[in-house]
Amino acid sequence: MSSTKAEDQKASSDAHRDTRAESLPDNALTDSIAILDFGSQFSQLIARRIREFNIYSELLSCNVSAAELKRLNPKGIILSGGPNSVYDAHAPKCDPELWNLGVPVLGVCYGMQLMAHALGGTVEPSHMREYGRAMLTVVHHGALFASMEPEVESWMSHGDSVSKLPEGFRVIGRTMSTPVAAIANELRDFYGVQFHPEVVHTKNGQQIIKNFVADICGCKGTWTMDKFIDKAIAGVHQKAQGKRVLLALSGGVDSSTLAFLLHKAIGDNLTCMFIDQGFMRKNEPEWLVETFERDFKIPVHFVKARDRFLAKLEGVVDPELKRKAIGTEFIRVFEEESKRLGPFDYLAQGTLYPDVIESAGTRIDPTTGEPVAVKIKSHHNVGGLPKDLQFQLIEPFAKLFKDEVRKVALELGVPDGIRQRHPFPGPGLAIRVLGEVTKERLKTLRDADWIIREEIKAHGLYRQVWQIFGVLLPTLSVGVMGDQRTYQNSIAIRAVTSEDGMTADWARLPYDLLETISSRIVNEVNGINRVVYDITSKPPATIEWE
């Protein structure tokens, strides 16, 4: 590698490192797995799968330098999949010195092809591409495939294949269409699989991941939430002792759990602010404030701003414009109230690891080979607050996934009503009222949504779905009620199952439950004469309609 390329690679690595790399937990520095992201839609999923074994994992840009990896001292490295061919003009590569770090490496899909290509093998376009399920035959039950069945149902997604192995490698798995579907150099602890063990479609794929991170890499599984809590509280206490901290409380799992953690760390130096923008579900603002103040002695500054927000949405129907209008007004209200209540030294945010990954730009553009941040839609949070507020940030959850925050909440004693709460968008019901948002349309949706949630809980299925909610459609339909023709609104029910929200399937709810919900909505909610059920998965649809 030329000195110019080395300098460019180091600069790219430093740009992705930022201060978050400095905040790794102590045990992660000696007992962790580094995942290099080459653009796969499943890269985050690899990280989550590893953490299910209480082993810390971190997703890094594929441009990270070997020197930086050495500093982080992972016990193993995983190269993710990606959309490129290794022969593309801008195909992402890794630092060649990575192969000399002396730690085990597992290449997944594109990662396997990159490994083979970089170490002297050959990769060629396949005569038969494989997309979807394929039966893998285990040729060699070595360390990677220990305890696996001879035949494994795997999930493939590739157009290229390894046609010639690098020196020292052997084939350990094949399919009917791919003779080289898994490879290993057990002397150097280098492994590659052409399929995706991290997805649920690969039967017992977790065993393969465990074999690599626990048995091959020797990670002990010390990444636990009780230890995280102790370290986070100590860190916040040390950083903000005697200082005032402001938290924008939304009522969701993340900000609520953060409020509990901060209150344990700094007590009355925490100020929670809840801005009622008028787009929450029925009775939620009052319940939230009462729960925090009465049951947990955490005071909440309640800001009533419904009329202000509603006025900003008058005549607005485009979902992106809705989000921007709500976000802008939120900033204005937050700024006014924080100055009135302040001064504050720190702003606390419930930022999660997926937010950090997206903003850091670990994803690679297949046409340029450059890191990019992918945005499907605008997010509404306090991340857009103006810099002149002069806050320093406290983000204890910036390395956690949503399911890990729920575990933290359980350890802290956060009530089930908050801890098990389904994800709820920042703009709230404003993006579930399709078309213009009015006070009357919000009330209609609130009443219908209340019935939906009440019935799903009565049937004991609330925790079986990732999200369930109503969507008020912008069209009227003909109906018959009381022997009279009606021309009224329709409600769509959206219910999905998911592990992380990155992909989702529509929930197969019992017909009798759907019938009960439909009957109650039509009879109890004025202006509704039709209820429909959304049976679209993600992808191609998103979970929210807007």
Side-chain angles (χ1 to χ4, degrees):
M1 181 172 66
S2 68
S3 58
T4 301
K5 186 174 181 181
E7 290 169 359
D8 290 345
Q9 195 167 41
K10 182 181 186 303
S12 177
S13 171
D14 290 344
H16 283 84
R17 175 174 142 188
D18 68 33
T19 57
R20 286 182 293 267
E22 304 290 352
S23 65
L24 288 174
D26 294 338
N27 64 306
L29 297 175
T30 57
D31 197 17
S32 64
I33 300 293
I35 304 160
L36 273 58
D37 184 7
F38 290 90
S40 172
Q41 60 180 317
F42 303 129
S43 296
Q44 288 189 37
L45 191 54
I46 298 174
R48 286 191 65 258
R49 291 287 182 250
I50 294 171
R51 293 192 185 188
E52 290 175 9
F53 299 114
N54 293 329
I55 295 170
Y56 184 79
S57 60
E58 177 132 6
L59 192 63
L60 305 172
S61 167
C62 62
N63 290 328
V64 66
S65 69
E68 175 69 358
L69 285 169
K70 188 174 182 179
R71 187 190 74 82
L72 295 176
N73 194 27
K75 284 200 167 184
I77 298 170
I78 295 180
L79 312 179
S80 83
N84 292 89
S85 165
V86 294
Y87 295 111
D88 287 345
H90 297 288
K93 303 291 194 299
C94 59
D95 188 338
E97 289 301 311
L98 177 147
W99 312 110
N100 300 321
L101 290 176
V103 299
V105 180
L106 171 64
V108 176
C109 198
Y110 176 84
M112 168 177 150
Q113 296 167 13
L114 178 64
M115 175 187 290
H117 177 65
L119 297 178
T122 303
V123 178
E124 297 178 348
S126 301
H127 296 296
M128 290 184 61
R129 297 185 176 188
E130 277 187 313
Y131 295 101
R133 288 181 174 85
M135 191 58 67
L136 177 84
T137 298
V138 177
V139 177
H140 172 63
H141 274 85
L144 189 65
F145 288 154
S147 303
M148 298 294 293
E149 297 291 332
E151 301 286 331
V152 178
E153 189 176 279
S154 63
W155 187 260
M156 293 282 191
S157 179
H158 67 104
D160 292 353
S161 294
V162 176
S163 58
K164 177 186 174 183
L165 293 178
E167 184 178 353
F169 280 78
R170 65 182 294 182
V171 176
I172 62 174
R174 64 170 183 264
T175 70
M176 290 291 291
S177 301
T178 307
V180 184
I183 61 176
N185 181 332
E186 294 182 312
L187 185 63
R188 299 185 69 182
D189 276 332
F190 289 170
Y191 302 87
V193 292
Q194 188 59 72
F195 57 93
H196 290 274
E198 68 273 20
V199 302
V200 295
H201 309 293
T202 295
K203 188 176 181 181
N204 208 20
Q206 271 292 73
Q207 182 65 49
I208 298 172
I209 294 175
K210 181 181 180 182
N211 289 343
F212 179 73
V213 299
D215 299 336
I216 296 172
C217 298
C219 293
K220 302 301 182 184
T222 56
W223 172 245
T224 59
M225 291 303 100
D226 58 338
K227 291 181 180 178
F228 167 83
I229 291 171
D230 291 342
K231 186 173 186 298
I233 289 177
V236 170
H237 186 268
Q238 180 180 9
K239 185 176 185 179
Q241 185 178 15
K243 305 291 185 180
R244 296 191 68 198
V245 178
L246 177 62
L247 169 65
L249 187 66
S250 70
V253 178
D254 308 329
S255 67
S256 298
T257 303
L258 182 55
F260 273 66
L261 186 144
L262 293 175
H263 195 253
K264 281 183 174 291
I266 59 175
D268 292 340
N269 283 340
L270 170 67
T271 297
C272 292
M273 181 195 300
F274 175 76
I275 299 174
D276 182 8
Q277 83 295 55
F279 306 133
M280 291 191 73
R281 291 173 291 201
K282 192 173 183 178
N283 299 333
E284 277 194 332
E286 297 78 13
W287 175 83
L288 175 72
V289 173
E290 183 178 342
T291 298
F292 268 76
E293 293 189 340
R294 182 193 64 193
D295 298 341
F296 303 105
K297 313 305 179 189
I298 301 177
V300 177
H301 178 66
F302 189 90
V303 182
K304 297 180 180 180
R306 294 188 178 190
D307 292 340
R308 289 183 59 169
F309 280 88
L310 198 57
K312 296 298 180 180
L313 295 185
E314 185 175 351
V316 179
V317 297
D318 181 86
E320 274 298 289
L321 294 180
K322 284 183 186 179
R323 290 175 181 272
K324 290 177 181 178
I326 294 170
T328 299
E329 190 63 18
F330 183 91
I331 290 171
R332 289 172 180 163
V333 175
F334 187 89
E335 185 175 24
E336 292 171 11
E337 293 296 322
S338 63
K339 287 181 177 178
R340 188 171 68 83
L341 296 171
F344 294 97
D345 302 286
Y346 291 95
L347 172 66
Q349 293 192 125
T351 305
L352 300 187
Y353 195 31
D355 303 322
V356 173
I357 292 169
E358 288 185 12
S359 64
T362 62
R363 190 61 47 85
I364 298 298
D365 186 331
T367 62
T368 65
E370 296 299 319
V372 295
V374 178
K375 182 175 73 174
I376 303 300
K377 58 191 175 186
S378 299
H379 289 276
H380 165 58
N381 53 40
V382 271
L385 289 173
K387 295 179 180 179
D388 59 8
L389 284 181
Q390 301 299 318
F391 286 125
Q392 296 185 64
L393 289 179
I394 293 179
E395 298 177 305
F397 298 158
K399 291 294 183 181
L400 299 186
F401 289 98
K402 174 75 75 172
D403 57 324
E404 291 173 320
V405 174
R406 293 190 194 277
K407 292 176 182 177
V408 170
L410 181 62
E411 292 280 345
L412 291 174
V414 176
D416 284 353
I418 296 175
R419 183 173 61 85
Q420 297 294 345
R421 186 176 187 258
H422 288 174
F424 189 65
L429 299 182
I431 59 168
R432 292 177 180 174
V433 172
L434 305 194
E436 185 177 5
V437 179
T438 65
K439 186 179 296 185
E440 294 73 20
R441 300 191 78 210
L442 282 168
K443 183 181 186 309
T444 297
L445 179 57
R446 275 199 191 92
D447 292 343
D449 188 75
W450 175 271
I451 292 171
I452 293 170
R453 292 187 296 122
E454 190 173 60
E455 288 298 331
I456 196 79
K457 291 176 181 178
H459 281 71
L461 297 176
Y462 183 80
R463 297 187 184 182
Q464 306 305 312
V465 296
W466 172 263
Q467 273 181 285
I468 183 169
F469 54 87
V471 179
L472 183 62
L473 304 184
T475 56
L476 303 177
S477 68
V478 175
V480 178
M481 301 176 71
D483 295 327
Q484 292 186 354
R485 179 184 183 275
T486 61
Y487 192 52
Q488 296 180 335
N489 294 289
S490 299
I491 287 283
I493 300 173
R494 179 66 159 151
V496 298
T497 58
S498 179
E499 291 188 356
D500 45 38
M502 289 184 285
T503 61
D505 194 13
W506 63 277
R508 275 66 171 176
L509 297 182
Y511 288 158
D512 62 331
L513 170 58
L514 293 174
E515 181 182 20
T516 299
I517 292 174
S518 176
S519 177
R520 284 195 60 190
I521 289 176
V522 171
N523 283 284
E524 298 177 29
V525 181
N526 292 330
I528 300 293
N529 68 353
R530 189 179 299 272
V531 178
V532 299
Y533 190 54
D534 184 347
I535 59 170
T536 318
S537 297
K538 175 187 178 183
T542 54
I543 295 177
E544 297 287 345
W545 280 46
E546 288 192 343

